[in-house]
Amino acid sequence: MKVHKFGGASIKDVSSIKKITKIIQKEGIANGLLVISAMGKMTNALENIVNLYVNNQRNELSVALQEIVDFHLKIINNLFEKEHEIYQKVDNLFAKIDLFIATNNSKNYDYIYDQIVCFGELLSTSIISSYLNQEGIVNTWKDVRELIKTNDVYRDANVLWDETNALINSEINSSKMSIVQGFIASGHDGQTTTLGREGSDYTAGIFAYCLEAENVTIWKDVEGVLNADPRVFKETQLLTQISYEETIEMAFYGASVIHPKTIQPIQKKEIPLYVRSFNNLDSQGTKVSRGTTIDPLVPCFIVKKNQVLVSISSLDFSFIVEKNISFIFKLLDQYQLKVNLIQNSAISFSFCVDDAFDHFDAFYHQIKSFFKISFFKDVDLFTIRYFTENSMKQICNQGKPLLTQTNKDTVQIVIQKNK
């Protein structure tokens, strides 16, 4: 059993979907498991649906929904004859979106988000499964929500491993090809949950662990794991080998090629992971496994944008001690603010956070009664693994450094961008 994950960029249009058949034929994965994301930027489009619905913008909602319908219809019109059953399947899925919007009574944004955004993966897998069957690549479509079980935390759920492992091994036939959705799962009551943004990689890791797969391959629109994001840096270099430990370090700091949770399950069973280009099937890309830390050994740049840099000190200039820090972290957890950097002195405590759920203002209004607090919004956090003096200068030239923190192999620099 081999696990292959196809992200949105690799199934963004008709030609991309047709390319999957070539990959399957070349790789010989008739008994593989395919984990598939939503098509192209469809998750973003569905997030827009959520926001329009929550804000009661009904006219705009109707237009945006029709655009999503038209996008998928254009895809299937170019892949299937008019009488194919996929048209009814897709109609049924859009009917379920309409039904949820018409009957939902919950005001919980995160719950609403998961119930709507999940349709990106349900649509893409239904279409691709039908297309592959049409092309003679026999496969079974599975609803991953019946296989991966989580707690009831919406938008960032934790996997219930024992239950999930039993379901996957009872429902997946490892001698045949199965297609499942990435990113989504379900909680105790059967309601849809999600595993965190870009969680399809994690889904692949979950299945590989439970099925004791031979390997996992993540197909990308880049050659493999690069030493920097090509959308941010002009010059990049392919890393041909990375150890599990180094990959976890890079993911922790925010490297976007591999989801932070993906490596943890496959490392336990030493399952190799490959990151390869769907545009160049002859390239072996990057291998993640036990062994060499990183090859070649070059500075690796990771950037997290739209951060908030916060500095807290006591109202009476007393020391910031363990009790204070414990209280601060309890509030950070309560407001779902992910901490990416920490620096403290005797009378101040600074940290850089993701405000992915737009909870920072509520956090600020609560904590300002207890501490003196200042902050900078919309800053960039750069992390350089295996930094050099020249690599640090390269980052500092991008704006005003607000905070720098260095250890043996890593430097982190918070930059206020040039206007």
Side-chain angles (χ1 to χ4, degrees), residues 205-249:
I206 293 168
F207 275 95
Y209 174 86
C210 293
L211 296 169
E212 299 189 357
E214 180 181 337
N215 56 50
V216 179
T217 302
I218 296 174
W219 295 93
K220 296 277 188 179
D221 57 350
V222 293
E223 285 299 306
V225 179
L226 305 177
N227 74 321
D229 187 337
R231 296 169 296 185
V232 180
F233 295 87
K234 293 181 179 179
E235 296 182 4
T236 61
Q237 191 167 348
L238 176 68
L239 306 177
T240 58
Q241 163 70 34
I242 314 176
S243 68
Y244 292 123
E245 292 80 4
E246 180 61 28
T247 306
I248 290 173
E249 288 281 355

Side-chain angles (χ1 to χ4, degrees), residues 338-355:
K338 183 182 182 299
V339 179
N340 295 311
L341 177 150
I342 298 170
Q343 190 174 93
N344 67 292
S345 66
I347 61 171
S348 69
F349 181 63
S350 299
F351 49 89
C352 204
V353 296
D354 275 321
D355 186 21

